[in-house]
């Protein structure tokens, strides 16, 4: 059978399987088993006759996803809490790795704007951070305690306040993705400019080294998590624009679900960052080597969890290194809402 005929004869069944994946809670075990059996039969045929075709990769991805939902779901109760962070978040991060790269680039670009603007105009930081915060920082510098902003509040109160504030920023960055990349991009842009101009201000006072050791002690995790939240918002917004094989409504719901998993996955990271900022950053007398070690360990964790682990998890779940259907979607007729 020619591949085109094979596709034409079975496209509706594959469409149904995708719909079942999106509404899996509404289907009985018998219905799920029937859909899974049909897809695996088509996959076996495709592997035999079209082993290098994109349609084979598409069916393999669809069958793997159905398998996970049907069989893994049965033994996931309290263990779902563990598998959420060890499997689900890494898998969705692999799916949204391009969004993560875009979020990182936007943040770096906005930081550079903050650096250049502050270097050109020493008063620029007042426009971004406000006179109150800048004057307080300058007073601390004059007293010889430039990082005293981290020691002016009770440790527990500071930890809780910072943690909930950062989680709120992350969810706001995600939700603003409903306005496509503009809303999320604006949040990333603001945060990047604030960081860039603040560090440049401290550099202008000869305090760049001390500020980086203090700020990045917690900031490595905090800033990274904001960038990840930006990827979640971009995933949400992309649902409106990149429909692929789905209707606009289905595409948006899928993007929202992926983005929500990503942003929820940042909560423990913000919690750890808040703990470091509330209880440890204030101790500026800690050895530089110790602070640098914490920064490097935090950076290593971020790279592993959001870059290395997603790729490994994807390969382990699919059993192949070929592109998935999400990366090279099959072009069938798009339905309408």
């Amino acid at each position: 059978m020619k591949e085109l005929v094979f596709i034409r004869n079975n496209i509706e069944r594959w469409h149904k399987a995708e719909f079942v994946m999106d509404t899996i809670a509404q289907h009985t075990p018998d219905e799920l088993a029937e859909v899974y059996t049909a897809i695996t039969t088509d996959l076996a045929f495709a592997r035999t006759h079209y082993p290098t075709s994109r349609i084979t990769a598409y069916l393999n991805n669809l069958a793997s996803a159905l398998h996970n939902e049907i069989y893994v779901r049965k033994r996931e109760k309290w263990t779902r809490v563990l598998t959420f962070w060890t499997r689900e978040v890494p898998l969705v991060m692999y799916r949204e790795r391009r969004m993560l790269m875009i979020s990182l680039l936007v943040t770096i670009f906005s930081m550079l704007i903050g650096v250049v603007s502050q270097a050109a105009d020493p008063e620029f930081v007042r426009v971004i951070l406000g006179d109150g915060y800048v004057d307080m920082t300058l007073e601390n510098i004059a007293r010889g305690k430039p990082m005293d902003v981290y020691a002016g509040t009770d440790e527990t109160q500071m930890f809780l306040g910072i943690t909930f504030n950062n989680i709120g920023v992350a969810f706001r960055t995600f939700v603003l993705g409903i306005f496509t990349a503009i809303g999320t991009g604006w949040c990333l842009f603001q945060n990047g400019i604030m960081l860039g101009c603040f560090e440049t201000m401290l550099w202008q006072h000869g305090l760049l080294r001390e500020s980086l050791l203090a700020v990045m002690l917690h900031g490595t995790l905090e800033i990274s998590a904001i960038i990840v939240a930006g990827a979640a918002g971009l995933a949400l917004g992309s649902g409106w624009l990149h429909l692929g094989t789905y209707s606009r409504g289905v595409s948006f719901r899928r993007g929202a679900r992926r983005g929500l998993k990503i942003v929820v996955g940042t909560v423990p990271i913000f919690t750890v960052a808040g703990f470091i900022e509330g209880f440890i950053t204030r101790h500026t007398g800690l050895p530089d080597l110790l602070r640098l070690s914490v920064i490097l360990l935090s950076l290593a964790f971020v790279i592993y969890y959001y870059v290395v682990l997603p790729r490994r998890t994807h390969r382990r779940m699919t059993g192949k290194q070929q592109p998935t259907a999400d990366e090279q979607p099959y072009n069938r007729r798009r339905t309408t809402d």
Side-chain angles (χ1 to χ4, degrees), residues 299-315:
L299 181 61
F301 167 78
V302 169
I303 293 174
Y304 175 78
Y305 189 71
Y306 287 109
V307 179
V308 178
L309 183 60
R311 188 172 296 276
R312 289 183 177 178
T313 305
H314 169 75
R315 290 176 178 174

Side-chain angles (χ1 to χ4, degrees), residues 4 59 64 80-81 83 156 159 179 224 231 242 244 248 286 289:
L4 185 59
L59 290 171
S64 297
R80 174 69 185 275
V81 176
T83 57
T156 302
F159 159 59
F179 301 109
S224 298
H242 301 95
R248 191 174 298 277
L286 290 173
L289 181 59

